[in-house]
Amino acid sequence: MRFYILILILFFSVFSLPFVKGQNTSNIVNLSTPDKAKLEWLTYQSVNTLRQNKKLPDLVWDDVLYRAAIDHAEYEIHEKKLSHYQTLKGKKTPAERVKIHGGLVYTAIGENIVAITLGAQVISKGLTRSTVTYEAAAATMASLWKSSPGHYKNIISKNYNCTALAVSYDSVQQRLIAVQVFGYSSTPAVPAKLPDYSGYLLDLPTPKLPYGLKANKSKKQKAINGFLKFNIDRGYITGSYKNAKKVFRGRRSGITQEFIPLNQFDSASTEFSMVPNRRNALYELNGELSKPIYRRKLLKYSRRIAVPRYYINTKFIRLIKKPPLYFIYPLYPNGQEMEFNLFLIKNKSLEVYTSYIVIPGELLETPFPSLELTNQFKSQIIPDKYKIYTTYDTLNVKLYYASGQVIIDSLKQSEICDRFNAIKGKITSVQILAFASVEGDKASNDQLAKLRMDNFMTVVKPYLDTITIQPKLIKQEQWRLFYKQLDGTRLQFIKKMQPDAIRAYVNQHTSDTLLSYFLSQQRYLDVALTYRQEFKEKIKTKTPIEIFDSLRIECAKYVKPRQDLLAALERAQLAVYHEWSQTDSTASNHPLLQDTEKYPALKYHQLMFEYTVLGSISDKVFYDKLHVLGRSKYFPARLKNDLVYNNLTLIFRELNTRGHLNELMNYDDIDDAAYRKGEFFLKKQKPHVNKSIAFYQTEYYALKEFPTYISLGKKLQVNNQTENDLWKYYYVYTIHSLYEFMPLHPEINRMLPNIKKYFHPNDEVLTDTQRLKLAYFYTALQKYDIAQLLIEPIATRPEPNLEGLKLYLTLRYDDFEDKHEYTTYLIREFSRLGKTEWCDLWPNPHYLNFLLLEDLTLKEFYNCNCSR
């Protein structure tokens, strides 16, 4: 600490100062009740002016130093003497006074004192000093300190960076005492304007440790080093059992917990100011101490709760149980707004405590996949039976053509198709009378008839009964019709000509309209189409329930029915259940089928119908009956996978609701491998030892069967099974159940690659929210390096994700060997994170443990920037 210098100026000559013309009366010191705050601030500014003249930075105002300055100034005015020392215990020196007012981080302390008389003018050594106005009084005190080498040395010292100045006043003697306290702190405290509780603290009796414990004295370094190697995870202390025996050597060696209210960390709070604690150096503790737990209880309890896999394996003497390899002991949980330290006790003395950064344990939110039981219910395919009636009929079609035309026009084609579509019959024979006009020659007319028939057959081809039907074509020229047409007309003279002459005349006069009209009526096809039609008359068949009853009666005739008869009966039963499941599924509407108890397959289907459709039996009854059937000698192997799948579905449903599986499953010790397999897969198991086991092991063993369950679902082609969702749930919650083991189960490391496969195969496409969830997940599994890599891109960018940055700051704790360097790093990140988020880092258990504030530099920085 710096040397404390005292200056005492006695005014031997006191003169009344006349008012100066134009002087501001508000600056005149009121001698009865002077404005002490104004005088303190002006003097503080005058002292900084002296530093500015030396090109030194200003001293920052510090509230902790101000409390200490007020304390001593009032003591001086009351005692009517000037001294740097007080007679009160805990306040004797300036350093003690700063400490009791909450100052623990000052590496240097200094103090200046001056006494003056207000409202006076002093002439000393040719210099006139005034204390009439506030400015003059402040300047006078600063100049008196400057004229004293020791005081001036304090003012311009580079060893100080903060200060505070307080005055006290005796109105009877008009005597004022000013006390200025200097200090050096990397985080000067801002004014808090709280009452001074230092006197209250001094009146308290010396605190005593509870339970007869003593303060740390011996410092047994080996035990301390072993103690600091213990880990805390999910509310357990874990570590080497061999190390634990060494650490807790001695009957009165053990552990105790100290619970600390978070508000005590704030030096601007009433609790901090009024409670003796480590932070004001008045007590060994900050909070409540739990009852000590000593060696015998620690080791005995740890040995009793250790699971078998943590015991030493012996090759030769398997019956002798060796002590476990790991020390495991549960801690009392934190309350809200509480943190805790863990203390080592050696011979009833508190030796050392250790504190931990609290890491978030939030897991990925993976909803339980929807699981449905599977059944064999399906309709029995019974082909419909019909009587078939066949009829034959004829359709006549007459088609007219222009001269030389072969192709039927589109309108006539559509008419023909429409008529056959309406009939819905098939053509069995075709007879065509092709009539030609008398024009042209015989050979040409025969050729045209053939082409017209071929074109017609292409039109009706889709309606032919077979593609091999050959039409019957009869060709004929219309001479008889032509002679009738000529009767009574102007062309009747042609009838007297010879046929060849008539053909020649017609061929020469086709432009004659009357003749052309006659010829157009001569060219057509007269088609007779014979077609077949089939009519079906459905024969009434039995319903599924009638089929079932008739087969049941038939089976009853035999002591041992044939397998094909039983298979038909089972198909009929499934058809009945399929039909009933599509309608109103109530027990009153669907009475149970008879005689199903005789046959295991039918009994199984009956059970599935009762549970899934009727809902007439409970989970427990269904589970028990499944197991009776599954272990039955005559239960068919073809249904075993189906039965096992439904058994696992029931178990996982119960697991999802966090029900107690032991209420559903008939076991006493799920840790017995043979019995466990029997319960899950309906196999015979060996007798097992009856002992209680923790529920989380039951959950773990049930989850272990998820891969088999997924495989069975694929084999049975269960439609509603979402494989990806099942795998996600399996990996996340199996890890969650393994996380209960202390220390962490090695299987977790083997599962992590699959976590990446199903949740983040490509890190580059992850959103901020996904990165945060995954980082929380890996942090909970103590995979801090993976979590840090995931969160780093969103925490180190120019505009960081604030939640990500808070987690990133926490994860970087182990990157610093020197924890004071980590403190410096946190303070540097203050500006990036922002005041609100930075302050939220501390009381939130997802982030930093408040006990990191044991680094006093960080504590003071927190107190300066956070209002808690």
Side-chain angles (χ1 to χ4, degrees), residues 544-671:
I545 187 65
E546 289 172 341
I547 295 172
F548 178 82
D549 286 337
S550 63
L551 288 169
R552 179 176 59 82
I553 293 170
E554 184 66 22
C555 287
K557 296 177 182 178
Y558 306 96
V559 176
K560 189 177 181 180
R562 300 189 315 273
Q563 285 300 318
D564 60 333
L565 192 57
L566 288 176
L569 181 64
E570 184 178 355
R571 289 194 300 272
Q573 181 199 31
L574 293 173
V576 171
Y577 288 151
H578 173 78
E579 183 179 284
W580 284 356
S581 62
Q582 305 302 311
T583 59
D584 183 18
S585 55
T586 61
S588 58
N589 292 338
H590 306 309
L592 298 179
L593 299 177
Q594 297 179 13
D595 292 341
T596 57
E597 292 290 322
K598 294 180 181 179
Y599 313 109
L602 272 63
K603 189 174 181 181
Y604 171 67
H605 298 315
Q606 179 80 57
L607 178 64
M608 290 302 302
F609 183 73
E610 288 181 81
Y611 183 71
T612 59
V613 179
L614 300 183
S616 58
I617 56 176
S618 66
D619 290 357
K620 176 63 177 169
V621 171
F622 178 59
Y623 179 86
D624 290 340
K625 287 188 175 183
L626 273 182
H627 282 248
V628 171
L629 277 171
R631 294 191 175 97
S632 168
K633 181 179 179 180
Y634 300 105
F635 189 79
R638 60 187 169 80
L639 291 175
K640 192 64 177 283
N641 283 342
D642 193 87
L643 187 145
V644 169
Y645 182 87
N646 287 328
N647 179 59
L648 288 171
T649 299
L650 188 64
I651 291 172
F652 295 146
R653 278 179 171 181
E654 190 74 13
L655 186 67
N656 172 44
T657 58
R658 290 296 180 265
H660 295 293
L661 289 180
N662 58 349
E663 294 179 4
L664 176 71
M665 303 167 69
N666 300 316
Y667 69 82
D668 296 308
D669 184 3
I670 199 67
D671 196 29

Side-chain angles (χ1 to χ4, degrees), residues 3-69:
F3 182 73
Y4 316 121
I5 299 176
L6 168 67
I7 184 168
L8 173 59
I9 307 297
L10 299 178
F11 293 167
F12 296 105
S13 303
V14 180
F15 300 92
S16 297
L17 295 177
F19 287 104
V20 180
K21 186 177 180 180
Q23 187 175 1
N24 187 350
T25 57
S26 64
N27 289 332
I28 303 297
V29 176
N30 184 332
L31 297 181
S32 58
T33 55
D35 187 343
K36 292 193 287 184
K38 183 176 183 179
L39 190 56
E40 288 166 353
W41 192 251
L42 290 172
T43 307
Y44 162 67
Q45 290 179 324
S46 297
V47 169
N48 272 338
T49 301
L50 296 178
R51 287 179 64 87
Q52 292 166 10
N53 294 338
K54 287 288 186 178
K55 297 183 179 180
L56 294 171
D58 288 353
L59 296 172
V60 179
W61 184 274
D62 186 291
D63 185 59
V64 173
L65 300 183
Y66 182 57
R67 294 184 194 181

Side-chain angles (χ1 to χ4, degrees), residues 809-810 813 816 818-826 848 852:
L809 295 179
T810 305
Y813 181 81
F816 297 85
D818 184 351
K819 299 311 173 190
H820 297 294
E821 290 182 14
Y822 181 56
T823 294
T824 305
Y825 166 71
L826 285 179
L848 297 179
L852 193 61

